[in-house]
Structures are given as C-alpha cells and as structure tokens.
Amino acid sequence: MSDRSLRGMRLGSQSMETEAGVEPAPRQRVEYRCQDGERVFVTFAAEAEIPATWISKTGKEALLVDGEKPAQGNEKPVRTHWDMLLERRSVEELDQILTDRLNLLRERRGEKTSA
C-alpha cells in the first residue's frame, strides 16, 4: 500500500475554467508626466473618469498629458496631531509635562530622579 499514492486534484489551487471565449472589458491607456519628465502610464476602464493628476511609483505628482491642469482650490492645509496639540499648549508646557511624567515613571520603577 505504501508503494502506491493517491493522485488527485488540489482543491481550490487550480481552476478548471479556461479563458476561451472570455473577452476583457474595454480599456484605455493614459499617459501622465512629472515635472522632471518622468512618464507614467496607467490603464483605466474605457468608461472610467480620468483623474487630472496621478502619483507615480517614485512618489512624485504627475499631470495628465494633453489634459487640463487641476484648479487650485482654497483648501485648508492638513492639520496634524502636533498642530492641534500646539493650539492647546505651548512647547514649554509640553516640556514640563514630559519631565513630570518621566519623573513619575522613574519613581514607580524605583529609580532615582534627577530634577
């Protein structure tokens, strides 16, 4: 019995379906360019709305070739957690709070505090 092994299909790992007769959805290839001349090609569905800008793999913003430049909106700059914290406290206050908390932590651990 050990010289024979059971043969079969690995369930779920291979598909029995073929791609015969399958037609992919219509697509369009769009070109974007960064300011330094880097070209970026993106494939979209034919009915998709094409964005005016695209972020390339290198992290640079690319503009649509032969497209309209995006309008500069009056958007507020993004506020970070640090910005919101500085609206409530000054840097000196934050420094003092940090020192107090570190001293409290060191006291709990039984370490000497340096004031």
Side-chain angles (χ1 to χ4, degrees), residues 35-75:
Q35 292 216 341
D36 64 355
E38 178 185 353
R39 294 170 58 182
V40 179
F41 294 96
V42 184
T43 303
F44 291 100
E47 66 273 359
E49 186 177 325
I50 308 300
T53 62
W54 192 263
I55 304 298
S56 71
K57 289 181 181 179
T58 57
K60 295 179 258 179
E61 185 177 46
L63 296 174
L64 180 63
V65 173
D66 299 330
E68 295 179 15
K69 292 193 176 188
Q72 297 293 335
N74 292 337
E75 297 177 10

Side-chain angles (χ1 to χ4, degrees), residues 99 102-115:
T99 304
L102 286 174
N103 287 337
L104 183 64
L105 182 65
R106 288 180 183 128
E107 286 174 11
R108 283 188 196 159
R109 290 183 177 173
E111 298 174 10
K112 292 182 180 180
T113 59
S114 58

